Amino acid sequence: MSETAVYAAGGVVWRLVEGKLKVLVIHRTAYADVTLPKGKVDPGETLAETAVREIFEETGIGVHLGVPVGVSRYVLPSKRTKIVHYWAAHASDDAIRASRFVPNKEIAALEWLSPKKARARLSYPVDIEILENFLELVDDGVLHTFPVVVLRHAKALSRSDWDGEDALRPLTSRGAAQARAVAGPLRAFGVRRIVASDAVRCVATVTPLAAAIGKPVHRTPAISQDAWEEGTSDVRGVVGRRVRAGKPAVLCSHGPVIPDILRELALATGTLRGSYLDAAADLVVGAFSVVHLSASNPGSGIVTIETHEPSA
């Protein structure tokens, strides 16, 4: 991130009403405008966490992030550039019923509109561009999606500093901080299933997430580095189960194994292979790639992949 820019994040929040698509716009009190929910990044926060938090703060609706739908850039009166990242975000009926929104000094009203009316009502061209990006996905039939997150374990003690079995190498203090930090953005993508190599460093990486969402860590040697080096891994089996399940999940594994996981995700979804897979697999420790798949037809191919660096 540039030190001179102002970063923010938000979303195109959507729902279906009697089978018809509606998107949420907010009427801001102070600016007397109509825009998409968004807000500035708090210190120590990732863009994904910001998007979920700001949507909730401005609308009272808890969401999980779907497909990224673009980045807007514009110059503020201070001459600094503001950069806003947006994701699609489905508002479930339960989340809408749970909203405690009331008009306040920042947000005067919320309004669910058809895409056509939202396009006409939005005050800023940059918001209209983001909405158009979202509608392209709708036209492509990928409104409902789910993520399979591929996570490289956090920083572990080096082999030269460890006398025991490689699978027992623990995280360093920096690695433990990365593990705590990654729990937030993974929650932002709605991860509910946690699958990890049975190596200590992988299990420890996802333990804070497991505690945060109240779900167990499913440990497996099938995506471990030891099994991969021995030729006994079963990456295809693990990936296939996650694609068939159609539920948000994270697979925590090792640097040498991750390219195979991405390749198997492409094969399982009928996606053409390309250099984008290499880029998504080239993860530093504590980083992850989110592979977005169509919930109704995962075999139609990977919708998009986004990669997030560790914040600790």
Side-chain angles (χ1 to χ4, degrees), residues 73-116:
R73 293 174 172 83
Y74 51 94
V75 179
L76 298 168
S78 65
K79 305 303 181 184
R80 296 177 71 186
T81 299
K82 187 168 186 177
I83 302 174
V84 190
H85 290 249
Y86 290 91
W87 283 265
H90 176 231
S92 69
D93 291 341
D94 287 344
I96 292 169
R97 282 192 292 268
S99 174
R100 296 292 181 266
F101 172 83
V102 292
N104 55 71
K105 63 182 181 181
E106 292 186 11
I107 311 299
L110 308 179
E111 190 174 13
W112 290 100
L113 299 171
S114 68
K116 182 178 180 180

Side-chain angles (χ1 to χ4, degrees), residues 89-146:
H90 176 231
S92 69
D93 291 341
D94 287 344
I96 292 169
R97 282 192 292 268
S99 174
R100 296 292 181 266
F101 172 83
V102 292
N104 55 71
K105 63 182 181 181
E106 292 186 11
I107 311 299
L110 308 179
E111 190 174 13
W112 290 100
L113 299 171
S114 68
K116 182 178 180 180
K117 288 183 178 179
R119 190 186 290 112
R121 197 75 60 86
L122 286 167
S123 300
Y124 306 107
V126 290
D127 284 351
I128 295 172
E129 181 179 352
I130 297 298
L131 176 61
E132 295 287 357
N133 292 345
F134 168 74
L135 294 176
E136 286 182 15
L137 290 171
V138 177
D139 290 341
D140 289 339
V142 290
L143 182 59
H144 291 276
T145 61
F146 71 95

Side-chain angles (χ1 to χ4, degrees), residues 111-226:
E111 190 174 13
W112 290 100
L113 299 171
S114 68
K116 182 178 180 180
K117 288 183 178 179
R119 190 186 290 112
R121 197 75 60 86
L122 286 167
S123 300
Y124 306 107
V126 290
D127 284 351
I128 295 172
E129 181 179 352
I130 297 298
L131 176 61
E132 295 287 357
N133 292 345
F134 168 74
L135 294 176
E136 286 182 15
L137 290 171
V138 177
D139 290 341
D140 289 339
V142 290
L143 182 59
H144 291 276
T145 61
F146 71 95
V148 176
V149 182
V150 183
L151 168 66
R152 185 176 178 184
H153 66 75
K155 178 67 175 176
L157 200 66
S158 68
R159 291 193 183 195
S160 60
D161 293 329
W162 179 248
D163 294 329
E165 295 179 27
D166 182 66
L168 300 180
R169 275 195 291 136
L171 298 182
T172 64
S173 57
R174 178 188 169 210
Q178 289 175 334
R180 292 190 296 271
V182 80
L186 292 179
R187 289 181 71 187
F189 288 101
V191 166
R192 302 298 293 166
R193 179 82 173 186
I194 305 170
V195 181
S197 156
D198 57 1
V200 166
R201 55 193 182 276
C202 286
V203 175
T205 297
V206 292
T207 294
L209 171 66
I213 66 175
K215 295 289 184 179
V217 177
H218 298 274
R219 312 177 188 197
T220 175
I223 56 172
S224 72
Q225 186 165 341
D226 284 350

